[in-house]
Amino acid sequence: TVDLDEGITGPARERLADAGCHPAVVTGDGALGCPERAPFDAVIATCTLPAVPAGWLPQCRPGARILAPLSTGLIRLRVRDEGYAEGRFLPTSAYFVALRGGSPPPPPVRSGGLPRYATDNELFRFLLTLTAGSLDPEEAYALWLQEDRPRRERFGLTVGGGRQWAWLDDPAGPYAWPLGAAEPAGG
């Protein structure tokens, strides 16, 4: 486990040792991963990410899994090689504290002017958060209606070629958005 704060990692080490457990508890920036302990078969994040940190994939073995909160969902990625991973969101919502450290914060989510039934809908808020910085809220709302209020598991994420994009139904399909960017990718 990795955390920025020695006030968290120090007591965690002590309590785990008292319980007879001795995992690696590292004080550092989780966005950088833990290259000295790599390669990993799995990475499990317990903080919300704005995107998958660049250092994680090179620290994973091919076939490794990454499970992380992103937007208001949990993304489950399979690493294919050092620079490529892809997967879908799980059906459940996920609300965690944001990743601290060198990672930029996610773009703000705007929803002014949209109908309350939409902004009160957890799945629509997921879409708004996932497309923040890429789609205007009105475009996200139109897509949400057109696609019959898609469930979270229809969405996925691809990391590869130095970029990351979220998508609906198909990573190469017409509905794909770079994470935190200004222009939609792939359509």
Side-chain angles (χ1 to χ4, degrees), residues 30-174:
L32 302 176
C34 193
E36 63 275 10
R37 307 278 309 178
F40 298 105
D41 294 317
V43 174
I44 300 171
T46 57
C47 57
T48 297
L49 306 174
V52 176
W56 287 11
L57 269 58
Q59 294 176 40
C60 289
R61 287 187 174 96
R65 290 284 193 177
I66 296 174
L67 179 66
L70 191 136
S71 182
T72 62
L74 283 172
I75 188 69
R76 182 177 55 196
L77 300 171
R78 166 95 49 203
V79 177
R80 293 193 189 158
D81 59 41
E82 288 184 358
Y84 185 85
E86 190 168 84
R88 289 189 180 270
F89 282 88
L90 299 177
T92 186
S93 60
Y95 295 90
F96 288 77
V97 67
L99 176 70
R100 301 176 298 151
S103 185
V109 176
R110 300 180 345 242
S111 62
L114 296 176
R116 186 174 182 142
Y117 80 91
T119 60
D120 285 349
N121 184 290
E122 207 280 326
L123 289 173
F124 180 66
R125 288 193 312 270
F126 167 74
L127 176 61
L128 264 183
T129 305
L130 188 62
T131 61
S134 294
L135 289 183
D136 290 329
E138 295 78 17
E139 292 174 308
Y141 177 63
L143 173 65
W144 186 65
L145 292 176
Q146 176 184 321
E147 290 298 316
D148 196 27
R149 298 169 177 88
R151 305 212 42 89
R152 193 177 273 105
E153 57 270 29
R154 285 182 58 192
F155 292 90
L157 178 69
T158 302
V159 181
R163 60 190 198 109
Q164 298 184 37
W165 65 98
W167 40 267
L168 174 64
D169 294 328
D170 180 356

